[in-house]
Amino acid sequence: MSDTHEPDLHADATASPGEQLRLERENQGLSVSEVAGALNLRPAVVRGLEEDSYEEVPIATYRRGYLRAYAHLLGIDDAPVLAAYHARFGSQDAAQRKVTPVQISKPPSRLGAWLFRLVSLLVLAGLIGLTLMWWQSRGGGEPPSIGESDPVSVDRLDGSASVTEPDTSADGTGPDSLPPLPEEVAEAESTAQALGEETDDSLADDASVDAELAASVDASDAAREEQDSEAAADEEQQQTTAEAEQADAATAEPQDDTGRLAFTFNEQSWTEVFDANNQRVFVGLQEPGTTASVEGEPPFRLTVGNATGVELVWQGEPVDLVERAGANNVARFTLGE
């Protein structure tokens, strides 16, 4: 923090770090719970820091960090606080330091590397052998072909089956081949005529089905076009409604910012704000380069630490925090009375 000052210890240069912090906190009128909330610590930890009792913080690095953060929160220099801590507890911190053991990893032996290579080669050879066996097993026997001397089964038109022996003579007419009987020829002709009539009937039925399908397709296309036109009309109506709502929003009057506070933190600051109902609407340690907007019912009760590094705007007008800051650079005042 840019504006720091030494705590008033009544000329006691041997004060402990906790005593320095406690006296400065009481001088600024802050409570232990407020400091704990600003530092995100438990009140027991803050009380232990002020009493130089570090049972709640067993690690020395965390102790020094908490003491430094506490000093920055109060707006004082942390060097005297840390110097007093080292003078009183430096020997204890040195005793807590431990040497971290170093682990050395050794590379694998040459024998292990050779064994690994040998196993890899054996596995690869086994895979190649299995692949070759599978490839050879694919070349199985071809399906048996029908020989010239094998009998052939022929299905007749009446559903019965007859076995025909192949021709063995040179001219293709065997001694056992006989011409068809007249009764079989008449039966074959009648069967072919019946099959032709059934084919004509099936073609007529298919034509009627195609006509019905075409009619249904035309009806569905007409319904789809009607739905598309209705959807386009609805979309146009929704767009018109949205444009009207945007125009209404643009012509609406701006909201009243009477109950809004705008902070700009150029430096680290602890800030607290209460509204007219005595409700705390904003509190915490703010980091440099951050902004905050606080809303509530005026009048507001404000406490701003390190006031020279904070900018405040209320009702569109900047508020001069430097004039309201006290000797410790903490501004306590009320707005909107």
Side-chain angles (χ1 to χ4, degrees):
M1 299 178 66
S2 61
D3 189 6
T4 58
H5 59 279
E6 296 294 332
D8 185 10
L9 302 178
H10 304 288
D12 186 3
T14 62
S16 65
E19 187 176 2
Q20 296 180 34
L21 297 174
R22 179 180 58 81
L23 291 176
E24 183 61 21
R25 176 183 61 78
E26 294 176 354
N27 185 29
Q28 295 186 15
L30 300 176
S31 63
V32 174
S33 59
E34 292 176 344
V35 173
L39 295 177
N40 293 327
L41 297 176
R42 291 182 290 107
V45 176
V46 177
R47 195 174 296 107
L49 294 177
E50 293 183 353
E51 296 175 359
D52 298 321
S53 176
Y54 303 106
E55 296 178 357
E56 298 289 338
V57 188
I59 301 177
T61 303
Y62 288 173
R63 297 176 188 173
R64 293 191 296 270
Y66 290 164
L67 291 173
R68 185 180 293 108
Y70 198 170
H72 289 174
L73 173 64
L74 298 177
I76 63 176
D77 189 9
D78 58 353
V81 178
L82 295 178
Y85 173 79
H86 287 298
R88 292 174 177 266
F89 306 98
S91 60
Q92 297 181 6
D93 293 349
Q96 291 181 359
R97 296 176 183 174
K98 296 181 180 180
V99 179
T100 304
V102 179
Q103 296 181 356
I104 301 175
S105 58
K106 297 181 180 180
S109 62
R110 299 181 62 181
L111 179 60
W114 280 108
L115 288 176
F116 177 77
R117 294 179 182 178
L118 180 60
V119 172
S120 300
L121 291 175
L122 292 176
V123 172
L124 181 60
L127 292 176
I128 294 174
L130 291 175
T131 305
L132 292 175
M133 292 176 62
W134 171 77
W135 182 262
Q136 292 178 359
S137 65
R138 290 184 59 192
E142 295 294 333
S145 59
I146 301 176
E148 295 179 355
S149 61
D150 296 336
V152 179
S153 176
V154 179
D155 294 336
R156 294 183 178 179
L157 295 177
D158 58 356
S160 61
S162 63
V163 178
T164 304
E165 296 291 338
D167 296 336
T168 56
S169 61
D171 56 356
T173 58
D176 297 335
S177 60
L178 299 176
L181 298 177
E183 296 178 356
E184 294 180 354
V185 174
E187 184 178 357
E189 292 178 355
S190 62
T191 304
Q193 184 177 2
L195 290 174
E197 293 177 356
E198 291 179 357
T199 303
D200 294 338
D201 295 339
S202 62
L203 291 175
D205 294 338
D206 293 340
S208 61
V209 171
D210 292 339
E212 293 178 357
L213 289 175
S216 62
V217 169
D218 294 338
S220 62
D221 291 340
R224 188 181 298 107
E225 291 178 357
E226 184 178 358
Q227 291 178 357
D228 293 340
S229 61
E230 292 178 357
D234 293 341
E235 183 177 358
E236 183 178 359
Q237 183 177 2
Q238 291 178 359
Q239 184 176 2
T240 304
T241 305
E243 292 177 354
E245 292 178 354
Q246 292 179 358
D248 295 340
T251 57
E253 296 182 356
Q255 297 181 354
D256 187 12
D257 58 351
T258 303
R260 179 180 299 175
L261 301 172
F263 291 93
T264 301
F265 299 96
N266 300 322
E267 298 178 4
Q268 192 179 51
S269 173
W270 187 87
T271 305
E272 184 179 30
V273 180
F274 289 86
D275 63 359
N277 299 322
N278 200 24
Q279 296 291 329
R280 184 162 58 184
V281 294
F282 183 73
V283 65
L285 180 64
Q286 308 302 319
E287 296 297 331
T290 60
T291 60
S293 179
V294 182
E295 295 183 359
E297 183 179 354
F300 297 100
R301 236 174 355 102
L302 297 91
T303 300
V304 182
N306 195 14
T308 57
V310 182
E311 298 178 7
L312 173 61
V313 177
W314 184 56
Q315 294 183 350
E317 297 293 335
V319 178
D320 191 356
L321 298 178
V322 178
E323 295 181 354
R324 303 172 186 268
N328 54 3
N329 199 20
V330 178
R332 294 186 178 88
F333 60 97
T334 303
L335 281 178
E337 291 182 341

